[in-house]
Amino acid sequence: MHKLLIFHNEKLLRRALTHRSYVHENPGEGEHNERLEFLGDALLNFLSGEYLYRRHPEKGEDELTRRRSALVDEKQLAKFAIEVNLDLRMRLGRGAILDGGYQNPNLLSSTFEAVLGAYYLDNNSDIEAVRGIIEPLFDSVPEQIVVSRSNVDSKNRFQEWVQRNVTQTPPKYFTLQTGGLSHAPEFVAKVLVGEKIYGEGKGRNKKDAEKAAAEDALIKLKEQGLV
């Protein structure tokens, strides 16, 4: 068994594995894992940022931000959860199980975050203990996957979110060339939904600037807990 799941305080681990749906069906079971998920998410953002900062001294803020989003996105965290055998240990309500909860990337990723938060507390709030768990998992993600995931699909993912949560009208991009040398121009893009600006980004061409704006919008939505 992966050492992530060896806890001094088994109650803490049990809470980290307990989804809200389980508590609804078993009211005597105490707390669900959402507060621990919040803590784990904060730890992941810091540790992934520091990890990329150390490993890529040549990369700028925009690239590091996109890579961090790729490293800790729902799909990747769900894979980590399965790697450390959390999938079948999640405590889910019957409805969630019937809906395929053990394979649900959202449930897997949020449980992984909760277990990281619990592991941090179980180790006397020692971030080094969490680093020892998470960095080998980061190391296991192939570089090309991080690069492709960080550059591809940000516009599609943002459009999907908008059409699911706001309006069927696709987001609009406004892009201007703001300077740079003639052989290395710089573009700035803003992405709007209706009248509201959701994100801004820069790039060497219009396409890259628009991708960066969509990624900025997704990062802001994640910070607000909306994705």
Side-chain angles (χ1 to χ4, degrees), residues 1-7 10 13 84-86 89 115:
M1 185 184 288
H2 194 286
K3 64 178 179 173
L4 177 59
L5 298 181
I6 297 175
F7 273 66
E10 283 292 322
L13 173 59
V84 298
N85 304 316
L86 294 185
R89 299 194 68 187
V115 169

Side-chain angles (χ1 to χ4, degrees), residues 52 56 59 63-71 143 147:
L52 291 166
H56 299 288
K59 304 287 185 203
E63 174 70 9
L64 290 173
T65 299
R66 287 199 297 274
R67 283 179 176 237
R68 179 174 62 183
S69 293
L71 206 52
E143 172 80 357
V147 172

Side-chain angles (χ1 to χ4, degrees), residues 193-206:
V193 179
E195 301 294 311
K196 184 178 176 184
I197 296 172
Y198 272 74
E200 298 184 31
K202 295 177 184 173
R204 293 285 174 85
N205 55 48
K206 189 178 174 196

Side-chain angles (χ1 to χ4, degrees), residues 4-176:
L4 177 59
L5 298 181
I6 297 175
F7 273 66
H8 306 295
N9 181 348
E10 283 292 322
K11 284 184 181 172
L12 201 53
L13 173 59
R14 195 156 62 247
R15 192 196 320 162
L17 293 168
T18 302
H19 185 249
R20 175 187 287 272
S21 62
Y22 187 88
V23 175
H24 281 325
E25 291 180 16
N26 302 275
E29 280 295 319
E31 288 183 66
H32 54 68
N33 62 7
E34 286 172 17
R35 279 172 52 83
L36 290 170
E37 180 190 339
F38 169 82
L39 179 58
D41 178 61
L43 290 165
L44 265 175
N45 270 317
F46 171 72
L47 288 168
S48 59
E50 189 201 42
Y51 171 86
L52 291 166
Y53 183 87
R54 278 202 321 272
R55 273 164 176 69
H56 299 288
E58 77 290 356
K59 304 287 185 203
E61 180 196 4
D62 286 355
E63 174 70 9
L64 290 173
T65 299
R66 287 199 297 274
R67 283 179 176 237
R68 179 174 62 183
S69 293
L71 206 52
V72 296
D73 75 359
E74 183 178 282
K75 193 183 298 181
Q76 190 57 57
L77 295 185
K79 284 184 179 171
F80 290 161
I82 291 166
E83 280 178 47
V84 298
N85 304 316
L86 294 185
D87 43 348
L88 297 177
R89 299 194 68 187
M90 292 192 295
R91 304 173 86 213
L92 306 175
R94 283 190 299 276
I97 292 169
L98 290 171
D99 285 343
Y102 290 129
Q103 291 82 44
N104 182 310
N106 180 264
L107 293 183
L108 286 163
S109 64
S110 56
T111 302
F112 182 77
E113 289 174 337
V115 169
L116 275 190
Y119 192 75
Y120 173 73
L121 296 177
D122 195 56
N123 283 274
N124 301 313
S125 302
D126 178 9
I127 201 163
E128 294 306 316
V130 184
R131 193 196 312 278
I133 293 298
I134 198 65
E135 291 207 348
L137 289 171
F138 288 158
D139 286 341
S140 74
V141 183
E143 172 80 357
Q144 66 269 25
I145 286 181
V146 177
V147 172
S148 65
R149 197 183 289 152
S150 69
N151 289 325
V152 175
D153 273 352
S154 47
K155 287 179 72 173
N156 286 345
R157 282 188 291 139
F158 182 57
Q159 181 168 324
E160 284 170 11
W161 182 87
V162 167
Q163 292 182 323
R164 203 166 50 238
N165 296 283
V166 185
T167 173
Q168 284 304 303
T169 307
K172 289 191 169 63
Y173 291 84
F174 295 93
T175 310
L176 296 170

